[in-house]
Amino acid sequence: MTIPFGHALAFAAALFVLGLSCVLLRRQIMMILIGVEIMLNAASLVFVAASAYWRQVDGQIFVMLLMAITAAEVAVALAMVVYLWRRKRTLVADEFNGMRG
Amino acid sequence: MSLLDLLALLPILILAFGGTAILMAGAWYREPRPLLAGGVATALIAAVAAGMVQPPTAEIAGLFSAGGYARFFTILWALLAAAGLMVAARYIMEKGLGAGEYVSLVLYAAAGMALLSSAIHLLGFFLALETFTLAFYILIASNRRCALAAEAGLKYLLMGAVATGFMAFGIALIYAVSGTLALPDAARLTTTAGELLPWGLLGWGMVLIAVGFKISLAPFHLWTPDVYQGAPAPVGGLLATGSKGAVVAALVGLLAMSGPVWHDLTDLLWLLAALTMLAGSLGALGQKNLKRLLAYSSVTHMGTLLVGLLCQSSEGLAATTFYVVVYVLTSLGAFAVIASLADERGEPMAFDEWRGLGHRHPVRCAVLVLVLLSLAGLPGTAGFMAKFAVFQAALQSGYLGLVLVGVFASVVSFAFYLRVTMLLFQSEEPASPRHAGTASEHAVLAACTAAILVFGLFPGILFDLISRILP
Amino acid sequence: MNHSLLFLIPLLPLFCAVINLLFGMRLPRLFAEVMAVTGVAGAFVLTLIFWGHAEGEGTRAVLFTWLNSGTLDVSFALNFDRLAAPMTLMVTGVATLIHLYAVGYMHEDDDYGRFFALLNLFVFAMLVIVLADNLLVLFLGWEGVGLCSYGLIGFWYRKLENAKAGTKAFLVTRVGDVFLGIALLWLFALTGTLSIDAINDQAAAIPSGVVIALSLLLLLGACGKSAQVPLMTWLADAMAGPTPVSALIHAATMVTAGVYLLCRFFPLVSLSAVAMTAITAIGALTAIYAATCAMAQREIKRVLAYSTMSQVGYMFMAVGAGTVAGAMFHLLTHAFFKAVLFMAAGCVIHLAGDENDIFKMGGLARRGPVELFWVFLAGAVCLAGLPLTGGFFSKDGILLALFTHPDPVYRVFWLVGVLTALLTAFYTFRLVYLVFAGDYRGAGHPHAIPLLMRWPLWPLALLGLAGGLLNLPAFVGGGERLHHWYGALAGREVSASHDVEWMLIALAAAIAAAGWLAAHWRYRSYRPPLENRASRFLLSGWQADALVDRLFVRPFAAMARFCSSGCDRTLLDGTLDGLARLVSSWASMLVQLTTGRLTTYLSAFAWGFLIVLGWFLIKLVNGGGH
Amino acid sequence: MTMLASLPQFPWLSLLVLLPLGGALLCLLHSGRAAECRALALATSLAVFGVALYLFVCHGQGEGRWLLYEDSAWISRYGIRYVLAMDGIALLMVLLTAFMQLAAILLAWKVERQVASFFALLLLLESGLMGIFLAYDLVFFYLFWEVALIPMFFLISIWGGVNRRRAALKFFLYTLVGSFFMLVAMIALYQIHGGQTGVYTFVIGELLQTRLTATQEGWLFAGFLAAFIVKSPLVPFHTWLTDALTEAPAAGSLDLTGLLLKTGIYGLIRVAFPLFPNATANFLPILGVLALVGLFHAAWSAYHQDDIKRLLAYSSISHLGLVVLGLAAWQLTAWEGSILLMVTHGITTGALFILVALIRERTATRSMQELGGLWGQVPCLAFFFLLFSLASLGLPGLANFAGEILVLLGTFQDHPVWAVVALLGVVFAAAYMLRLIQGVIWGPAAKERSLPDLTPREWLMLLPMALLVVWLGLYPEPFLAPLHGTVATLLAGGLP
């Protein structure tokens, strides 16, 4: 029983919009990063669905690589978060507005 | 990945493994000078390899092409990395940063850019893009002592992450619609037309958003001034030239291979190009900080580049490639001047730090003036030939409206560039003198000046080279 | 003798002028004076030598091409013919005597180099006008004369009103030059050439309407230079210059240049009766206007200036009446006696301790050398037109021409002429009585009058008195030598029955006597000047200056203010600065967008996404047709 | 046009353009020692003047369309060629540039701040001007058109007067907007020509044969016009000139008024009119009216000024209005008069600017209230001031009159009303010039000062100009001779 392709797409789209709104609405850096992760997972979902629909393995390989890249990105992001916490003792994104105009 | 593929990938391998080797060496041997020399040597060797070695196969594992176009840009990015390292030498030594880490990151970034420029497969495109973006996340925040650097790093990181999200989802949609990730066919979207096409276009739209962030197109450009101001000048130089240039090179390569495929996207691109040019030039008008001004000016230039891409004619692509090469050289020159003037009090950024510096450092300020005038598009400099080529291509494809917006942007850009040049040679209450600059910086500056004048007065050389390498 | 030697006549004064200009101040004063006088005297002698060339058609000398472009081919050419010869002789002769007088007059002035250079330059320019063969060379002389009068009037530039008078003279004459310029352009367009003789020959071919317009333009051009009614306000103020200047420029030469121009173009002008009437009307109007103003003047030189204006009016009437010989006759005699009067006035001013106001003089006959009174009287007698004097015959000739003119309206002009003759006699003798009769009313101590200021007066006085012999009318047994000398150029043959001529002569004599008696009755015993509105009105030359000021000067200045601050500063610069402010306001709006906070940057992403979604929906709606 | 193969003779024109450039670079190399820079600059400008004189004497009377023609490939991709062509008009302009440059360098002898870069910029400006007058390829022309702006911009913004920066920026941007429209029009013409004949080139000689529809021609002509109208300041676009001139340093204002203003009109004659004959034909009446309005507006404004430099700026605009009127009359004599007037105006107004600079050096003021009575204090300087003011006033026998009378005579043939109105403008010229003369020379001295009279250097500057002014006034024949052929061809639709 394969799930129709449209449903998977719709679900992934919903997931993507969820991630995006999490990025836009939350003020903590950590929550923004989590939002980004949700968006990436939505993309992986579409890949898997498409790979199933097209009966090709490209999508899944892409998902593997996507996970690797996401891991690298999260590593760097968390290092940055730790570094920022040690500097400013706050993780609210809008605190960092030293430069403007 | 047969042996032949590896041989075709040689220059990028040299960069990658060279970087790793220097990273490892840096762990034991802290002395920065040899590491820097090693980095520059690696970059130069990679450039020579890309130039000399004739790649046996045209494509590498279906992901990257090894044709003339790719090798041209590999040479360019390798040379850029070498120049970036030479400019950053004094900065690393004075700030006491880890020479090994800095050099390896720059080399990885160079490798990423070279890969991106030769990407013929969405996966390769995505991978290459992410490699050098990650490298830049760290490079921007490398100066631990400066709070602004951290803030710039954060902004670049978060925006980059969101862009990656969009990119991934975009590629996914394209894949869903077209069933393939190889660029020429994915771009054409003709195979499975019918009712799914708009979703494919949405996919390309979202890829465009990610690209928009990367080369700071209009609504996505707000991070640019803060990141350029925060990042140290040598990193800013690479960021402004390399990361943007590579993406545009990739797009040009894509369009060159698949022919005019973006006819559905033209009205969106038209809007973005106009918005970008206006936002960039008007934004720069009110600036009081040179690096922020350069950021906005790079936004304007990206708008003009988009006009070149929009034409989708062979003229347009040749003009865009010429424009990218010229833009890379001139922006590098600008940031190199700022880096060479930096001293213990930091880099001269605000306008009153620049007032009257022309009297103290006449030669370098003259170079800066030449660079600014080239960015503005004064005839006789390479900038003019680039803008002339793009306008000519745009007019040929009938985009008179965009050309007029370009003219308005050029006039406004002349205004703020000339305001800076007047500032430099102001005689009343001049700023205190800055650092005299080292030999390597002067070498880079000399190279950039020579490039601006040579490509300005004798652009035939570059035009012939480009028409040979464009597929 | 080679024709191009003719060029020596104008070039000699020019050469001396340049020498004086460059080395005048460095070399001893005597050198400058000798150079100046010899320059003009040399020209006088040369004119006599070349007198033979003037007979018949006259000789034309060409130096080199001046302007050659397309159909235009103008060269520096002189035409020494019957009309030019006597005029040249008069100009150089009177100028020589006036130069001698000037040497004495300017004795104490230290800026003599510039003075003599300008005086010589003036003579050069005047000779160029007289001898010009084509209109462009005439225009060169025309403006040159204007420049020299500007320089000489404003000679004592330290006092601002002198400089202002000079500027006013230059500007008003420049207005006249514009009309001459228009005539020049039109003639070139019509006839394709600028040579005066060629124009006169083709005059018949020009349509009558155009001839009238051209003549009126020439008339207005002449009025500018000869200070006739519409453009006469500068002459009175021109008295600010030194007296020899007034004598030379504003008596003998420059003011007559207008008459000479009309005589030169007589064949063209005489074609249209309307133009001739206009010329006569202008002449008559100026004559009566100047005569009335002269009556109320307080300064000696201003009286003489207005009288000059009036006499030139007579010459215009003569040209209008068709007799060129009559006009030139009056021009020559007037040059002699007016020069004498001005020079004598110079001596009188010296005697009265540099006092100009005649009501502060009186009894000067006894204070200075006795012959000064007699020479002044000789000039005055000629001016008043007492019988047998030069002035009498020349003025009577004009009145005769007016009287016998076929057109009835000339009778009116004749009447005006007679009335002006009466007024002339009155103000002349008013001047004589106020200056010489009674006892000295002024406070100044007399300067000694150098010999050179007294000696040159006599020849001119005699020439003035004996001027009549030049063109003695036939019925008195005269040979009308001037009329025959001009031959074809002389214009209408004036002839009338004997009793008409005797009646006119008697009338003229009676008028002169009446004028004298009136002045005698009025000013024999000194009476202070009557101060009423009429006298102030006349003193200020019928409020002409105020009129010109309100009509032209003030609106010009207002327009200037409007143009420069109104248009340029507010309108043009305003729009530019407004544009600049608009663009920079856009810029500041945009800059506020980068607030520095991350959330705004991410929301920008959202806006970007919305744009793409919107564009995507459009594509979705129209079926993604591609 | 059969391309006149560049005859294998000495590249005089390239020498004219590159010699000042070389001089400028040498000046920069000697930036340390001021005396050497001055000598170097003088030597270069003398050499250029020598070359120009030689060309005037030896190559003055060629018969064909061009006296000298140099052509070689440059950017073959766009068909841009390195073409330098000299006809009669270019010859006169080159001679004027060389002469004025000599005067400018002499005038700039007493500059102290950054002497080397001042002279380098002056020489760069000269090279730019030579390029504008000689280039016959649109992009090459555009290159020099902008390159000439940069030195002027720096001269004003660094060595200028009080609010020099605003004036410099306004000057640059004003001409820039115009030239950008020209660039777009140039590219469009290039593409249309390419489309029609398959030959993609920017050489004006080739582009003359493009057959354009009325609307195309109208728009392209408007593009070129935008650049040239702004530069030869026709009235509504002239406010940049008055600011730039009053703020520019002495030598800068000399070059600005003497030469840069001529480039606008020269561009009209050489580029705009020949390329678009029909659009020109129905634009001429508008041009004539604009010129007249300019003539009067500038004359009135000049009358109202107190600063003598600003007054002279307005007088320049008024004179150039007359020049443009001559061009609008489209008649041989009028054109020759205009070109002659351009040369003579360069000399007379240039000399007046020199004198204003000398007066400012001595009395440190330029306002008429504080000047006056200079004749007593500095007679020689005052004499020259009088001579050149009278020349600028159009006194017959002096330089400007010859040009003005030719323009008026030529214009009267077809447009009598224009000529009469222009003649009236000449009276206005007398009004403001006399006010200037009276304010500066005559009248009581506002402040008693003991002023040094002319030094030998100043004599060296002014005497040749005075002699030239008199010579041009009395015998302009040698300067008119080269024009006859060129003007005739340009007027006849100019298909060489």
Side-chain angles (χ1 to χ4, degrees), chain C residues 379-443:
Chain C
V381 154
C382 296
L383 177 59
L386 286 173
L388 297 182
T389 60
F392 172 77
F393 285 111
S394 56
K395 194 181 296 180
D396 182 56
I398 297 171
L399 291 179
L400 180 67
L402 283 173
F403 190 78
T404 59
H405 196 277
D407 186 339
V409 78
Y410 279 70
R411 283 292 162 74
V412 170
F413 296 137
W414 175 75
L415 261 176
V416 165
V418 165
L419 180 61
T420 318
L422 177 67
L423 295 179
T424 314
F426 174 73
Y427 69 68
T428 316
F429 285 100
R430 164 180 178 268
L431 189 63
V432 170
Y433 278 100
L434 278 176
V435 169
F436 291 98
D439 43 20
Y440 184 65
R441 295 181 291 279

Side-chain angles (χ1 to χ4, degrees), chain B residues 154-155 158-159 162-163 166 197-199 201-202 205-206 209 213 219-220 222-223 226 263-265 267-268 271 279 282-283 285 287 296 408, chain C residues 580 583-584 586-588 590-591 593-598 600-602 604-609 611-613 615-616 619-620 623-626:
Chain B
L154 170 72
K155 284 179 179 171
L158 279 186
M159 302 292 279
V162 172
F166 274 101
L197 182 68
W199 292 97
L201 290 179
L202 178 62
M206 296 176 86
I209 291 174
F213 153 73
F220 321 101
L222 298 179
W223 59 273
D226 295 358
H263 37 71
D264 292 331
L265 282 166
D267 35 27
L268 180 64
L271 182 69
L282 290 177
L285 204 55
Q287 284 313 318
Y296 280 108
F408 174 76
Chain C
V583 169
S584 47
W586 290 344
S588 50
L590 255 169
V591 159
L593 228 57
T594 44
T595 55
R597 288 198 305 281
L598 208 50
T600 20
Y601 295 173
L602 289 174
F605 242 80
W607 284 110
F609 186 43
I611 294 175
V612 170
L613 269 183
W615 167 78
F616 157 71
K619 285 294 175 211
L620 196 64
H626 55 77

